Amino acid sequence: MARIAIGGFQHETNTFAPVRASFEDFEMADGWPGLTRGEAIFETFKGINLPLPGFIDAAKAAGHELRPLLWCSASPSAHVERGAFERITGELIDLIKKQGKLDGLYLDLHGAMVTEHFEDGEGEILERIRAIVGPALPIVVSLDLHANLTERMVRHASALVVCRTYPHVDLAETGGRAADLMTRLLRHGPLAKAMRRADYLVPLPWQCTLINPAAALYRVVEEAEGQGRAASASFAFGFPPADIAECGPAVVVYAEDAARANAEADRLIGMVNAAEAEFAGKIWQKDEAVRYAMNKSASTNRPIILADTQDNPGAGGNSDSVDLLEALVSLKAAGAVFANLYDPETAKIAHEAGLHASFERGIGAWCGSSGLEKFRGRFEVLALGDGNFKATGPFYRGNQMQLGPMALLGIGGTKIVVTSRKQQAADQAMLRHLGVEPRDAKILALKSSVHFRADFQPIAEEILIVAAAGDNPVDNRALPYRHLRKGMRLMPLGEAF
Ligand SMILES: [Zn+2]
């Protein structure tokens, strides 16, 4: 039986977004639990689709003794504030020091954290921890599929294990794989490592593993382990809106010896490079998309989904852009639902006005991003909710949502789901909480790039990727990069940086 400390500290940083992540953002619960310390971790995370509980279940089954440290995450945003990073990392390290003798350490990190003072947040955390635990302690880290893998992470972790689905439905499973790898390292000692990078960025909507070429690529990665060519093989797409030198797709392979690790890493990155042309897909303009959806919805009873990807709060948008809403209302789309609009003030006014009342005001553009304007109109309050409900879809499965006061507003043929907390529209329960049955909508405009697919793709007639105003450009050429490494192509088959 081994004694393993466990913890987590997650942030996905869009260095181009307007709002930074403070300590309070990590402390607060959102779609995931808030900052949780010690034994409370076991109860709080039970059954949630996150790597940490996946690790806990598998490690307990393997007979290990677990020492819970702390876990926290904040919604994707701009840089993690220096104070927040130092306070949380400092506490994590203090907790590790207090554990006495450990046989292993598992961390549930994201892999795309940029702080005010470090380009590679996770690399910094791991380097500091490695310095105090010494070179021999097995440190296994699970990462998100959007991790921007860095050489520093690879150097200081004994093994990195990357999730394989986007929507991320296998987060718990990824934690389980990390636990299996930990057990292997404890029994048989360290593995050889090899990392390779691709030279082009893949926009988020095409990183989806429910469609090719990503689906096929991840099958190959999985087979590398299944067929015994690697002890562990991972591919991370990277998180494009991060202006850092090590942004982009990469593979990392662990094997018995360096020759095997290198050979498998070369083979996998070769496949990633060969898939480049397949990663270029259509980006719709908002009016064009709404007109197409209105036409198409006349001949089907399944909703057409417009992915409002550039305002995806899961990627640094604020979920407060009303640009696509404006197109739906002005083109007189019928049976449209727009979700989720993050606007606490409007939710409050709707609650004060009461059910069936109506009020006139400018909604949206709550966070003050430049270039976003409010949408002015007269809105009827169609439903109210307290924002407390259980998620039902595969992505947020089992999680208790706390979105604050919510309201369903109506204008023309469009209904608007308003929340008081920022949360990606990736679960049908968010709509049902306000009495909206997603299947009955003609058009669903969702502030999400890919995660919505887990719950919504099965009910959709067609899905369009729409470029309406927002802080998360789907075309990377719109981002003012300065720090990418030379030679990176901003889009598949595009010109080099
Ligand atoms: Zn992700």
Side-chain angles (χ1 to χ4, degrees):
M1 185 169 88
R3 199 157 184 272
I4 302 166
I6 57 170
F9 179 15
Q10 292 210 9
H11 192 256
E12 183 178 73
T13 309
N14 176 339
T15 61
F16 302 102
V19 184
R20 297 188 170 196
S22 68
F23 179 75
E24 288 68 37
D25 294 324
F26 285 96
E27 207 171 25
M28 189 177 74
D30 45 32
W32 303 126
L35 174 56
T36 310
R37 297 176 171 94
E39 296 290 324
I41 282 175
F42 294 123
E43 195 50 44
T44 305
F45 287 81
K46 201 172 269 174
I48 297 182
N49 177 34
L50 276 173
L52 180 69
F55 184 94
I56 291 173
D57 290 348
K60 278 187 174 169
H64 300 309
E65 179 198 348
L66 300 180
R67 302 293 310 145
L69 306 167
L70 68 82
W71 187 97
C72 63
S73 81
S75 254
S77 68
H79 306 73
V80 174
E81 287 180 2
R82 175 193 284 259
F85 178 83
E86 292 301 335
R87 186 165 167 188
I88 296 162
T89 306
E91 187 174 340
L92 192 57
I93 286 176
D94 284 346
L95 286 168
I96 292 170
K97 284 179 182 162
K98 279 187 194 140
Q99 301 306 316
K101 187 178 155 11
L102 290 171
D103 301 307
L105 169 66
Y106 162 70
L107 291 175
D108 174 6
L109 305 179
H110 182 287
M113 181 194 290
V114 183
T115 74
E116 287 177 332
H117 52 328
F118 300 112
E119 273 202 0
D120 174 12
E122 288 85 358
E124 180 68 24
I125 295 169
L126 290 168
E127 183 165 345
R128 289 188 194 183
I129 291 176
R130 183 56 85 191
I132 58 154
V133 300
L137 188 82
I139 301 180
V140 177
V141 179
S142 58
L143 297 171
D144 191 271
L145 169 141
H146 297 112
N148 287 313
L149 290 177
T150 68
E151 281 172 17
R152 221 166 152 207
M153 293 180 207
V154 173
R155 190 177 329 130
H156 296 295
S158 312
L160 303 170
V161 179
V162 180
C163 123
R164 290 175 178 162
T165 59
Y166 181 29
H168 305 327
V169 293
D170 70 331
L171 293 175
E173 209 180 303
T174 304
R177 288 195 287 121
D180 294 346
L181 199 53
M182 174 68 86
T183 301
R184 179 184 175 132
L185 291 171
L186 289 165
R187 283 195 190 134
H188 305 295
L191 291 160
K193 318 167 177 182
M195 177 195 185
R196 299 286 186 278
R197 299 176 187 289
D199 293 328
Y200 64 98
L201 299 177
V202 180
L204 291 178
W206 287 277
Q207 296 187 0
C208 178
T209 58
L210 296 173
I211 51 178
N212 276 333
L217 275 176
Y218 277 96
R219 266 198 305 278
V220 172
V221 170
E222 209 169 329
E223 282 164 11
E225 287 172 15
Q227 296 170 356
R229 284 196 295 269
S232 168
S234 285
F235 167 53
F237 267 110
F239 189 58
D243 188 15
I244 56 170
E246 291 181 274
C247 180
V251 302
V252 61
V253 174
Y254 299 87
E256 297 297 325
D257 57 66
R260 277 192 226 200
N262 282 318
E264 192 55 21
D266 284 336
R267 195 179 77 89
L268 293 177
I269 205 66
M271 290 189 182
V272 175
N273 289 332
E276 184 170 353
E278 283 182 81
F279 279 114
K282 178 170 168 74
I283 299 171
W284 292 72
Q285 295 311 306
K286 56 176 181 169
D287 288 2
E288 174 198 19
V290 171
R291 283 200 190 93
Y292 176 89
M294 287 167 70
N295 264 330
K296 182 96 187 192
S297 70
S299 60
T300 173
N301 51 17
R302 290 155 64 85
I304 317 297
I305 293 183
L306 310 183
D308 194 357
T309 180
Q310 303 205 121
D311 194 32
N312 169 15
N318 277 314
S319 207
D320 69 340
S321 165
V322 282
D323 197 31
L324 183 54
L325 172 66
E326 194 270 330
L328 289 165
V329 176
S330 67
L331 293 170
K332 300 192 166 51
V337 179
F338 181 82
N340 298 325
L341 179 66
Y342 168 57
D343 185 343
E345 187 68 27
T346 295
K348 184 168 169 255
I349 285 168
H351 277 256
E352 282 164 7
L355 203 56
H356 308 308
S358 57
F359 59 87
E360 198 174 321
R361 80 181 245 107
I363 66 169
W366 167 256
C367 298
S369 293
S370 62
L372 292 192
E373 281 176 28
K374 291 185 182 293
F375 177 67
R376 184 155 278 284
R378 186 151 196 91
F379 303 94
E380 189 189 344
V381 182
L382 300 175
L384 294 167
D386 61 9
N388 289 316
F389 56 93
K390 235 186 173 68
T392 53
F395 177 60
Y396 286 122
R397 168 176 51 112
N399 198 53
Q400 186 65 38
M401 290 282 155
Q402 296 173 46
L403 304 187
M406 287 176 66
L408 185 70
L409 303 181
I411 181 165
T414 298
K415 292 173 178 164
I416 307 156
V417 174
V418 183
T419 63
S420 294
R421 295 230 180 112
K422 211 188 290 180
Q423 199 69 46
Q424 188 168 169
D427 198 292
Q428 294 189 38
M430 294 171 175
L431 279 63
R432 291 205 184 97
H433 180 62
L434 295 173
V436 174
E437 176 47 50
R439 274 168 209 278
D440 298 339
K442 289 284 188 191
I443 300 174
L444 286 170
L446 302 175
K447 291 187 180 293
S448 176
S449 296
V450 166
H451 281 145
F452 71 94
R453 286 186 191 260
D455 205 17
F456 288 91
Q457 185 165 294
I459 65 162
E461 175 70 20
E462 194 172 343
I463 293 170
L464 314 182
I465 307 299
V466 184
D471 284 323
N472 171 43
V474 63
D475 187 332
N476 298 323
R477 287 168 297 191
L479 294 170
Y481 288 104
R482 284 169 41 221
H483 305 294
L484 287 184
R485 64 189 178 281
K486 275 268 166 281
M488 271 309 268
R489 293 183 288 288
L490 300 186
M491 294 291 277
L493 303 180
E495 60 272 40
F497 179 69

